[in-house]
RNA sequence: GCCGCGUUGGUCAAGGGGUUAAGACGCCUCCCUUUCACGGAGGAAUCACGGGUUCGAUUCCCGUACGUGGUACCA
């Protein structure tokens, strides 16, 4: 550990490209990234594609796209290259075998010939109420077909005959495996209770267990952060480190708390079930065609998404909740990460986005809006859009809210909420608006101040209270009881639109009220 | 079942032997605004349970319960 401190910090995110990248995955990336930047170290992306049966077309590219969108770009990766490549485990296949062989030499691993049927049979036969899932361990390994139970000659014979086999770690009978975790502190395991995990599969590919250890060593990883679902298999990794490279070379671990859904572990199904995104970006499974919604398409700003994720399980000890990435890099610390899993709350997520929208520059929001399909803002020039955005942004939690909140700046309301004006509508008011439109038709200047002044003058000439006329006017221009100040709206949409909307509404009121 | 991790309002959480137990989201009320929103002021709501230790436990220890992860030639 002392030695590690002198080395440049190197952390890695190691996803397997089998589908979308969900909340928890992005948070793991984020914490890795923050830690690396804070320590002026390297952030590596390693693709763990050792299971060929789970290969999913496009999944790797999708990961790059997500990281790109979030702005968490790795220093080394299959895409960006680097001095410790290749960064795809499938391309490193040849590197793992020697370590497995080394373990066999040392008696720390063994060869096992059991077929999946035989394994299944063992599990069935040993299954009891007390032990519903028997392990391949010190109790059962001598009853199986492996280089420990079989005579050396038979092993040689089977090998010569090309019998498929795997290599398993031989967990010691009586050892306490101790792990120092940055978040959980000291965690202990009894080696006797851990099973003989497969290290090298029959196809020659390593399992995760061998691959992480070997690659973390070869890639000089100093700190290994991963989800808490890995904590149970940590003793296997620790043993491997001890056997292969020495505990003093082992990275510092941190097992991140899980992100939970409304009930239990957050799953992609929760998204569809409860109506919120769980992936960073839309992900369509190429086989099933099933689409899981992403935060990006739902209208989140990457900054807000990251902000929300950062404080889901971490805080800086103050009341601050809004952080820019630079601040997070400065303030993040693993020992302030909460131990317990956190339930994801979509309302709170929207609040973060809302805050970022309110704080955001209008021009910037305009640019971000390009991601929203069918955004109204591209129907007219940018200058107009930017002014509209400034007027409505405090009413929008998501980028996708803008179309509804700003639509009436681009087209006259599709539906006019006549019911809202109905109770207090009368002929005096109708007369007022007819006169107002005459007045507006000829007024020299067209800006909010002038329009408001004209409106109020006419109201007092008509012996009407402006307050009683404002709501009808709003309904005429907007269609409903929402939106920014009416005269700002009239000022922006212009004379022609304002007059036309007054006339249209007047007609509707005539027939419907 | 076994192993690991965890448990402060509905949710995210600060705190940590003596506190009126922060704050945020959400919810409710009021103010501002003759809309909605923003903003402001309030409100309801919390230390899982049982034993210790202690003058005193939400805080420390031990159990229990509950939640959660693992228990694959998946990661």
């Amino acid at each position: 550990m002392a030695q590690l401190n002198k080395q440049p910090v190197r952390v890695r995110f190691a996803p397997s490209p089998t589908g979308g990248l969900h909340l928890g995955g992005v948070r793991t990336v984020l914490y890795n990234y923050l830690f690396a930047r804070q320590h002026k170290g390297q952030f590596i992306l390693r693709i763990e594609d050792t299971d060929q049966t789970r290969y999913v077309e496009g999944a790797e590219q999708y990961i790059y796209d997500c990281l790109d969108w979030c702005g968490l770009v790795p220093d080394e990766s299959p895409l960006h290259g680097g001095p410790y490549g290749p960064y795809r485990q499938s391309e490193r296949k040849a590197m793992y075998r020697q370590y497995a062989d080394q373990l066999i030499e040392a008696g720390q691993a063994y060869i096992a010939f059991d077929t999946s049927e035989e394994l299944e049979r063992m599990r069935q036969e040993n299954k009891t109420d007390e032990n519903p899932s028997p392990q391949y361990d010190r109790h059962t390994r001598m009853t199986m077909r492996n280089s420990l139970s079989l005579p050396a000659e038979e092993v040689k014979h089977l090998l010569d005959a090309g019998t498929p086999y795997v290599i398993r770690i031989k967990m010691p009978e009586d050892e306490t495996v101790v792990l120092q975790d940055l978040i959980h502190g000291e965690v202990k395991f009894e080696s006797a209770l851990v099973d003989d995990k497969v290290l090298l599969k029959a196809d020659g590919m390593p399992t995760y267990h061998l691959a992480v250890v070997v690659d973390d060593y070869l890639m000089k990883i100093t700190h290994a952060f991963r989800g808490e679902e890995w904590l149970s298999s940590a003793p296997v990794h620790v043993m491997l480190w001890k056997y292969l490279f020495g505990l003093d070379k082992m990275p510092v671990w941190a097992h991140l708390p899980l992100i939970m859904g409304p009930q239990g572990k957050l799953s992609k199904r929760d998204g569809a079930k409860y109506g919120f995104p769980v992936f960073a970006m839309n992900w369509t499974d190429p086989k099933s065609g099933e689409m899981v919604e992403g935060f990006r398409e739902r209208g989140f700003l990457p900054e807000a998404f990251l902000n929300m994720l950062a404080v889901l399980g971490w805080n800086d000890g103050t009341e601050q909740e809004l952080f820019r990435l630079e601040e997070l890099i400065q303030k993040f610390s693993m020992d302030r990460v909460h131990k317990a899993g956190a339930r994801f709350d979509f309302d709170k997520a929207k609040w973060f986005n809302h805050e970022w929208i309110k704080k955001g520059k209008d021009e910037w929001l305009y640019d971000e809006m390009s991601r929203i399909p069918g955004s109204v803002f591209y129907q007219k020039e940018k200058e107009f859009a930017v002014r509209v955005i400034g007027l409505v942004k405090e009413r929008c939690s998501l980028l996708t809210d803008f179309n509804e909140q700003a639509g009436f700046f681009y087209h006259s309301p599709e539906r006019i909420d006549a019911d809202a004006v109905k109770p207090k509508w009368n002929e005096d008011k109708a007369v007022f608006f007819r006169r107002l439109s005459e007045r507006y038709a000829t007024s020299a200047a067209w800006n909010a101040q002038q329009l408001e002044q004209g409106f109020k003058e006419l109201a007092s000439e008509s012996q009407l209270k402006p307050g009683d006329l404002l709501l009808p006017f709003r309904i005429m221009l907007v269609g409903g009881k929402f939106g920014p100040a009416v005269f700002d709206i009239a000022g922006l949409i212009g004379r022609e639109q304002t007059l036309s909307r007054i006339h249209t509404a007047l007609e509707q009121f005539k027939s419907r009220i």
Side-chain angles (χ1 to χ4, degrees):
Chain A
M1 285 263 276
Q3 186 185 356
L4 275 181
N5 291 338
K6 280 183 270 167
Q7 295 174 7
V9 163
R10 291 175 59 80
V11 299
R12 98 275 120 134
F13 176 60
S16 85
T18 52
L21 217 210
H22 64 85
L23 278 179
V26 179
R27 195 188 57 176
T28 303
V29 176
L30 178 61
Y31 286 4
N32 269 286
Y33 180 89
L34 295 176
F35 190 87
R37 286 292 163 272
Q38 183 177 74
H39 295 276
K40 310 259 183 286
Q42 306 293 302
F43 168 51
I44 292 110
L45 176 74
R46 185 172 69 217
I47 298 293
E48 309 234 337
D49 56 349
T50 53
D51 188 353
Q52 295 158 332
T53 64
R54 295 212 304 165
Y55 174 78
V56 175
E57 181 80 43
E60 187 179 321
Q61 184 57 46
Y62 171 87
I63 289 167
Y64 300 135
D65 293 342
C66 289
L67 297 191
D68 237 36
W69 176 59
C70 292
L72 306 175
V73 181
D75 300 303
E76 299 167 26
S77 79
L79 199 64
H80 306 84
Y84 297 92
Y87 292 90
R88 248 187 301 259
Q89 288 180 333
S90 60
E91 294 167 12
R92 302 169 66 82
K93 183 176 176 182
M95 309 171 80
Y96 304 105
R97 171 146 230 129
Q98 57 169 304
Y99 296 102
D101 287 341
Q102 181 188 327
L103 290 167
I104 295 173
E105 286 296 311
Q108 293 155 337
Y110 58 92
I111 291 168
F113 298 100
D114 317 278
T115 63
S116 48
E117 291 74 30
E118 287 167 329
L119 288 171
E120 182 53 29
R121 186 150 44 91
M122 180 276 278
R123 291 189 184 111
Q124 283 305 325
E125 283 172 359
N126 293 49
K127 191 171 172 177
T128 62
D129 284 347
E130 276 76 55
N131 183 11
S133 36
Q135 303 188 118
Y136 201 120
D137 60 10
R138 76 207 147 102
H139 297 295
T140 52
R141 65 178 159 235
M142 292 313 282
T143 70
M144 306 301 286
R145 294 198 304 131
N146 55 55
S147 61
L148 261 27
S149 62
L150 266 22
E153 242 160 73
E154 192 176 345
V155 172
K156 186 177 186 305
H157 183 75
L158 284 166
L159 251 22
D160 289 345
T163 315
Y165 66 91
V166 302
I167 296 175
R168 287 179 182 271
I169 187 172
K170 185 186 177 196
M171 284 306 282
E173 305 271 313
D174 188 20
E175 189 165 332
T176 302
V177 183
V178 181
L179 176 81
Q180 285 297 336
D181 187 281
L182 250 25
I183 294 168
H184 298 281
E186 190 175 272
V187 183
K188 291 179 177 172
F189 304 85
E190 291 307 319
S191 66
L193 299 169
V194 180
D195 62 337
D196 293 349
K197 287 266 184 285
V198 171
L199 302 179
L200 203 75
K201 306 187 237 185
D203 65 2
M205 277 287 194
T207 59
Y208 173 85
H209 307 296
L210 214 216
V212 244
V213 172
V214 169
D215 285 344
D216 282 352
Y217 170 74
L218 260 17
M219 294 182 179
K220 297 197 159 54
I221 300 303
T222 57
H223 300 260
F225 310 143
R226 62 199 339 182
E228 204 185 277
E229 70 268 27
W230 290 109
L231 195 50
S232 311
S233 44
V236 178
H237 311 319
V238 173
M239 288 313 294
L240 253 19
W241 270 100
K242 183 178 174 181
Y243 291 154
L244 256 17
F245 311 116
L247 257 18
D248 57 322
K249 302 260 177 22
M250 186 168 73
V252 177
W253 296 101
H255 289 87
L256 276 21
L258 266 16
I259 295 178
M260 315 296 280
Q263 41 207 178
K265 188 185 174 188
L266 185 70
S267 76
K268 62 180 181 185
R269 294 226 167 266
D270 286 337
K273 198 167 169 188
Y274 301 100
F276 57 74
V278 307
F279 286 166
M281 296 171 32
N282 278 4
W283 165 256
T284 305
D285 186 281
K287 292 242 167 56
S288 65
E290 190 189 353
M291 200 273 277
V292 179
E293 193 184 24
F295 280 83
R296 180 182 188 263
E297 288 79 0
R298 187 59 178 267
F300 278 80
L301 295 163
E303 290 79 2
F305 181 50
L306 257 27
N307 188 164
M308 177 273 291
L309 249 21
V311 298
L312 190 58
W314 172 86
N315 69 82
D316 75 341
T318 74
E319 286 179 10
Q320 184 174 352
E321 291 196 274
L322 266 16
F323 296 93
R324 290 172 297 115
L325 192 60
E326 298 71 41
E327 283 182 283
L328 290 171
I329 290 171
Q330 195 181 95
K331 295 182 173 174
F332 180 77
S333 78
M334 207 49 93
D335 55 17
R336 286 201 64 89
V337 174
H338 222 243
K339 286 182 166 73
R343 205 169 301 279
F344 170 68
D345 180 3
F346 188 50
D347 282 328
K348 185 83 185 235
K350 280 194 293 194
W351 176 80
F352 277 104
N353 206 57
H354 194 185
E355 292 299 314
W356 275 86
I357 285 176
K358 283 189 293 180
K359 283 199 315 183
K361 291 259 188 300
D362 302 340
E363 287 79 8
W364 174 63
L365 291 168
Y366 174 81
D367 293 336
E368 291 289 316
M369 220 66 79
S370 65
R371 300 203 315 270
I372 306 305
S375 172
V376 289
F377 294 113
Y378 298 96
Q379 294 175 9
K380 281 194 191 176
E381 70 277 17
K382 178 175 175 178
E383 286 65 29
F384 183 75
V386 169
R387 292 175 69 184
V388 172
I389 288 170
L391 246 25
V392 304
K393 65 180 181 183
E394 66 191 24
R395 277 154 254 263
C396 300
S397 292
L398 302 170
L399 258 24
T400 44
D401 291 339
F402 278 89
N403 269 6
E404 194 184 332
Q405 289 296 327
F408 56 83
F409 283 100
Y410 289 87
H411 49 76
S412 42
E414 279 135 30
R415 209 174 44 80
I416 293 175
D417 184 6
D419 290 346
V421 297
K422 197 173 179 177
K424 292 183 176 171
W425 189 251
N426 56 35
E427 187 52 27
D428 287 349
K429 288 180 181 170
V431 170
F432 170 85
F433 279 104
R434 278 197 289 273
R435 292 183 58 196
L436 181 72
S437 72
E438 285 160 18
R439 185 173 186 133
Y440 279 177
T442 56
S443 68
W446 192 267
N447 61 62
Q449 293 76 9
Q450 294 292 315
L451 294 170
E452 181 166 5
Q453 200 190 324
F455 188 93
K456 288 188 169 156
E457 280 169 12
L458 185 60
S460 92
E461 285 167 25
S462 313
Q463 311 261 318
L464 289 166
K465 283 188 285 182
D468 294 337
L469 300 161
L470 246 21
L471 185 65
F473 193 27
R474 167 176 301 282
I475 301 293
M476 290 171 168
L477 299 185
V478 176
K481 293 167 72 168
F482 63 97
V486 259
F487 298 107
D488 285 338
I489 298 170
L492 261 186
I493 61 177
R495 193 192 310 266
E496 193 191 325
Q497 271 296 311
T498 303
L499 297 182
S500 125
R501 290 185 196 187
I502 293 173
H503 293 315
T504 308
L506 245 20
E507 285 306 306
Q508 285 203 31
F509 290 172
K510 210 182 286 175
S511 57
R512 292 216 271 145
I513 296 179

